[in-house]
Amino acid sequence: MNRNARLSLLASMLVAGVFAFWGGWTRRWMSDDGLIVLRTVRNLLAGNGPVFNAGERVEANTSTLWQYVIAAAAWVTRARLEDVAMWLALGFTVAACVIAVWAAGRFWSDTVLPFGVLIYLALPPARDFATSGLEWGLSIFWLAAWWALLVRWAKPVNGPASVRVASWLAFLSGLSWLVRPELALYGGVTGLVLLAAHSRQWWRILLVALPVPATYQVFRMGYYGLLTPHTAVAKSAAASDWGSGFAYLWDFAGPYALWAAAAAALGVGVALMIGSYGRERTIVLLVAGCGLVHLVYVLRVGGDFMHGRMLLLPLFALLLPVMVVPLTRRIGVVGLVVAAWSGAIVAKAHPIDTARLDAGDQLGIVDEREFWGWATKQEPGQAPHYAEDFLAWKVMPDWPTAIGEATRDGGAQLLLAQLDTPSGAPEKYDWYHLPRMASDSDLGNHPLTAYWINLGMTGMNAGLDMRVLDTVGLATPLAARMPRDPNGRIGHDRWLGLEWQIADTAADADALPEWIDRTRVKQARAALRTSEIRELLASSREPMSPGRFLKNVKFSLTGGRSLQLDDDPSTYLDQPTLNSIDAGEDVGLGGPQVAWSSSF
């Protein structure tokens, strides 16, 4: 690489780093889903383990590594968790863009100009998820490091590609599953390529690639009783929803004319690769193939409910070979057009339709940052940064007071009620608690419990001695196994009925409000004691021991993999039990243990 090429690459890296930092910093925020991660980190730092609720072993976060990275940084710095997550995510994003540009410049070995990196960073969702508390920064950092090692493997500095470089690439590929499950596609295919290219050193490739993910997988099976993160159970990808997937794609590509920028990137990439051969062509085909399969997967499962989020990773992967491109007259013209497009997209942004939200239309695909900025009454263009910012949402202002009152009164469960208001007046909500049972049932071991779909804001604004669960199954095994609602929101189409929610708490079933079906609550409580549901609950609640660990490994390969529940609790009960419940008896208070006491 000559002096001009080196200078152009350094300039491109500077542009990428500054643009990535500026874009992420100016749109920094914290999402409700990001707060879910931080609740787990709080439990880790408190000694309760990698769980969302103390005493219930549920892996509520999709990215395994992300929660541990935050925990390690928080333990060292003692800084506020929201700040730790924001700075880590932003740092990973900046590093990812710089490394991706550097690797692309090394690949072309010519005078280059920024190209694909401008396309990616111009998109508002890319800059939104540069922070947010989620693992997107870590994920694109993994992709960038993967691409850099592929380039080093295909174009070694001196001599043929060494086994040492292949070993580092194999190790990184092994970590893919722990960054995000779908990145296993990239890591797995890379592993096969390395095994084929270094057939005589196959044992070394496997020796560095497998130990870390294999060790964690055994831990996951024994500790959680699952083969995958619990979120993958709740968001099962077994069914296809191509219509929603293509609607999700257009929701992302349409507003920004991304299709035009993507066509330009494709045309430039194909033109540059004509005449290439050997490992250079191999790694480009590897990157493009994995990115395309990832894209198809997102379309197949129906996309997501957050605008653009699930398409960012395959887009970043597909742009890796053209993050920078060689400077020629024709490519320079295309580069200027892309730069102009990028500037226009940054200026245009993605404004939210507040009239639609004011009218109560909050389902479907939502610009998550703009939505929470609106919901928490932030200044225009701003968004929440800390957990307490979410208390400004219409359902949350009384949350701390309700927890205090319920704790003082020994309450069992918090419920949310919508209050009657005059026609045209803003909606008002209030949290109230249900009384605790007087029985010595093991269900009395449950601490104060609340169910709400938004786990992050409730969990981070509550103590670790409180049990916070959701209705769609991200942290709630019962909800994750309920039937899917074909009309539900993508990724949130499970639903745990109110009767099931109350049944699995210490609430007194005979002291419930009249509008709650007490008979059905008692049926659900009795159903908890039946064999398959009891084993599901025991896999996450029974105190850990060697025996429980082995049972969980077995469960992860059987019921943990396939168990689905019926939302009608009566289907699990025989007629004598149903008759006893109809007579007013709460038979589910006794029987095989389903709740254990926990220390916090």
Side-chain angles (χ1 to χ4, degrees), residues 13-225:
M13 292 167 63
L14 181 63
V15 168
V18 170
F19 195 3
F21 180 83
W22 172 83
W25 175 257
T26 55
R27 295 184 68 82
R28 66 192 184 280
W29 70 300
M30 176 58 61
S31 68
D32 178 70
D33 282 35
L35 293 177
I36 296 176
V37 180
L38 300 189
R39 167 89 175 188
T40 299
V41 173
R42 283 175 65 197
N43 273 300
L44 267 170
L45 296 176
N48 297 325
V51 299
F52 191 79
N53 290 299
E56 297 191 16
R57 297 181 301 274
V58 177
E59 191 176 14
N61 305 308
T62 302
S63 174
T64 299
L65 279 180
W66 180 231
Q67 64 190 17
Y68 288 108
V69 169
I70 296 175
W75 183 79
V76 171
T77 64
R78 305 297 178 182
R80 182 161 181 166
L81 292 181
E82 291 95 328
D83 291 331
V84 171
M86 187 278 291
W87 281 109
L88 282 174
L90 184 56
F92 277 124
T93 298
V94 173
C97 292
V98 171
I99 292 171
V101 164
W102 174 80
R106 282 269 297 112
F107 180 78
W108 297 116
S109 300
D110 202 346
T111 302
V112 294
L113 75 160
F115 189 76
V117 70
L118 298 182
I119 295 174
Y120 181 79
L121 290 174
L123 300 168
R127 288 176 279 126
D128 289 353
F129 289 101
T131 55
S132 85
L134 293 173
E135 67 276 5
W136 259 247
L138 177 63
S139 298
I140 65 170
F141 176 80
W142 184 93
L143 286 169
W146 170 70
W147 165 238
L149 284 173
L150 281 173
V151 172
R152 182 67 182 273
W153 177 77
K155 299 187 66 172
V157 177
N158 295 306
S162 67
V163 176
R164 182 179 180 184
V165 174
S167 296
W168 278 109
L169 185 53
F171 177 76
L172 186 71
S173 297
L175 294 181
S176 60
W177 168 259
L178 302 179
V179 177
R180 274 194 68 85
E182 59 265 46
L183 293 183
L185 163 67
Y186 301 80
V189 174
T190 303
L192 294 176
V193 171
L194 291 176
L195 289 173
H198 301 275
S199 57
R200 293 185 179 181
Q201 298 290 330
W202 63 269
W203 58 272
R204 182 174 295 183
I205 301 297
L206 296 179
L207 187 62
V208 296
L210 296 182
V212 173
T215 299
Y216 188 82
Q217 185 62 19
V218 172
F219 167 77
R220 171 182 279 153
M221 294 166 68
Y223 188 75
Y224 297 111

